[in-house]
Structure formats: C-alpha cells, structure tokens
C-alpha cells in the first residue's frame, strides 16, 4: 500500500475553486475491500497521508479531497491509521472531504488539531452492514492525549452517519 509520509512541515492548500485531490490509481479493476471481504467489491485503496513528528503550528491541509485512502488494519486491536494520520503532530484540517473508505478518516495519536468545515460521508451505504468493523469505522479517532499545550477543536463539520458499534468521534 502506498502512503505519503511527511516527517516535517506540511502545507497543502487549495481553495474553493481549485481543490486538491489525493487518490489511488484510477480505472483499476474492482477487488475485495481490505477492511472486510464481506463488503462489496471496491476500487483499490492507498494508505493515506501521514504527518509524523511535526509540531509546526502552521501545518495545514485545506480544500483536499481524499479518495480511497484506507490504511490496512494492523495490530492486535485492529487499528487503522486513517486517510489522515497525525502522530506527534499539530495540524489544521479544513474543508476536506473523504470518499471510498470504511475505516478512520482522521486518526490522531498524541497530537493537536483543528478540524473544520469538513464533510464526512456516511461510512456505510444503506445496503452495507458494518460486519466485523466495530470501533474502526469511526470518522475521527484520537488516542494518547494531546501534545503539550495541544487541543482538539472539531467545529462546523458535516457528519452524514454511521452504523454498528462505531462512534462518529472517538
């Protein structure tokens, strides 16, 4: 799985008329969803954008569409690092959308963030069941407290729903 990893500062900024898209390779054949083979066939997934060890208060991801970014489940507790993974980092995530994932969309591990004006889709369609995807199909997940002086501000977003034992924000 291809992942974009940044061990430094990040400034990915589009605008309302010039959005940035991060996606896997288009037009590949459908295959089993790596999150749960019981789900319908899907487009191939890529690993997402990981920001690690960056406390730069100017880190920003704005007006970005994440398509088919779905980190493969790993570890004994079935953890997915999400479309955007923040590890020991600070970031503002603004006006982003997410499509084509059944796992975490933003995953923070000992981080600080502001998430605003983002659109989080319904994780499962009307005909899909979460099956064995409990506690991993949550749009926003945060673990291990905040960075010193950090915060978790989640405001002015749209959450379109979820199923099973999955929180919208955990």
């Amino acid at each position: 799985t291809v992942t974009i990893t940044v061990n430094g500062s990040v400034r990915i900024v589009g605008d309302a008329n010039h959005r940035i898209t991060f996606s896997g390779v288009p037009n590949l054949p459908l295959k089993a969803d790596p999150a749960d083979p019981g789900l319908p066939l899907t487009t191939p997934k890529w690993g997402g954008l990981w920001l690690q060890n960056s406390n730069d208060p100017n880190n920003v991801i704005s007006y970005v569409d994440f398509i088919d970014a779905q980190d493969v489940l790993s570890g004994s507790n079935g953890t997915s690092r999400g479309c955007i993974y923040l590890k020991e980092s600070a970031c503002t995530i603004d006006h982003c959308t997410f499509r084509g994932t059944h796992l975490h969309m933003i995953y923070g591990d000992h981080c600080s963030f502001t998430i605003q004006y983002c659109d989080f889709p319904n994780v499962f369609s009307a005909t899909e069941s979460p099956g064995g995807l409990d506690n991993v199909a949550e749009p926003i997940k945060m673990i291990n407290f905040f960075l010193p002086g950090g915060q978790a501000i989640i405001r002015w977003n749209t959450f379109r729903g979820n199923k099973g034992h999955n929180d919208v924000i955990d």
Side-chain angles (χ1 to χ4, degrees), residues 5 9 17 39 49 63 66 75 79 88 92 112 125 132 135 137 139 143 145 149 153-154 160 166:
T5 303
S9 298
N17 296 313
L39 292 168
L49 174 65
Y63 288 95
F66 289 87
T79 298
E88 306 279 340
T92 295
S112 176
S125 74
N135 293 314
I143 64 170
F145 303 104
I153 297 174
I154 301 171
R160 301 194 182 271
N166 292 295

Side-chain angles (χ1 to χ4, degrees), residues 35-55:
D36 185 336
L39 292 168
L41 293 178
T42 186
T43 52
K45 306 301 181 193
W46 65 286
L49 174 65
W50 297 7
L51 181 59
Q52 301 180 136
N53 304 309
S54 177
N55 294 326

Side-chain angles (χ1 to χ4, degrees), residues 107-161:
Y107 191 99
D109 182 354
H110 195 238
C111 67
S112 176
F113 58 68
T114 298
I115 302 169
Q116 60 189 17
Y117 299 107
C118 294
D119 192 334
F120 295 91
N122 194 326
V123 179
F124 299 98
S125 74
T127 60
E128 291 176 331
S129 166
L133 296 179
D134 281 340
N135 293 314
V136 295
E138 300 162 325
I140 299 174
K141 174 136 180 124
M142 186 171 177
I143 64 170
N144 295 329
F145 303 104
F146 303 110
L147 290 172
Q151 62 192 14
I153 297 174
I154 301 171
R155 60 185 176 197
W156 308 313
N157 298 287
T158 301
F159 294 92
R160 301 194 182 271

Side-chain angles (χ1 to χ4, degrees), residues 13-128:
V13 180
D15 62 44
N17 296 313
H18 304 94
R19 297 187 66 86
I20 297 167
T21 300
F22 284 125
S23 176
V25 178
N27 302 318
L28 292 176
L30 298 179
K31 60 187 232 175
D33 192 315
D36 185 336
L39 292 168
L41 293 178
T42 186
T43 52
K45 306 301 181 193
W46 65 286
L49 174 65
W50 297 7
L51 181 59
Q52 301 180 136
N53 304 309
S54 177
N55 294 326
D56 184 343
N58 297 312
N59 285 335
V60 64
I61 302 168
S62 184
Y63 288 95
V64 178
D65 302 317
F66 289 87
I67 301 171
D68 295 325
Q70 179 174 287
D71 182 36
V72 177
L73 294 171
S74 63
S76 61
N77 64 353
T79 298
S80 160
R81 287 180 287 273
C83 300
I84 300 173
Y85 173 51
L86 304 174
K87 171 78 172 165
E88 306 279 340
S89 297
C91 191
T92 295
I93 301 168
D94 173 65
H95 284 93
C96 291
T97 67
F98 305 89
R99 189 172 76 221
T101 183
H102 286 101
L103 302 176
H104 302 297
M105 295 166 203
I106 299 173
Y107 191 99
D109 182 354
H110 195 238
C111 67
S112 176
F113 58 68
T114 298
I115 302 169
Q116 60 189 17
Y117 299 107
C118 294
D119 192 334
F120 295 91
N122 194 326
V123 179
F124 299 98
S125 74
T127 60
E128 291 176 331

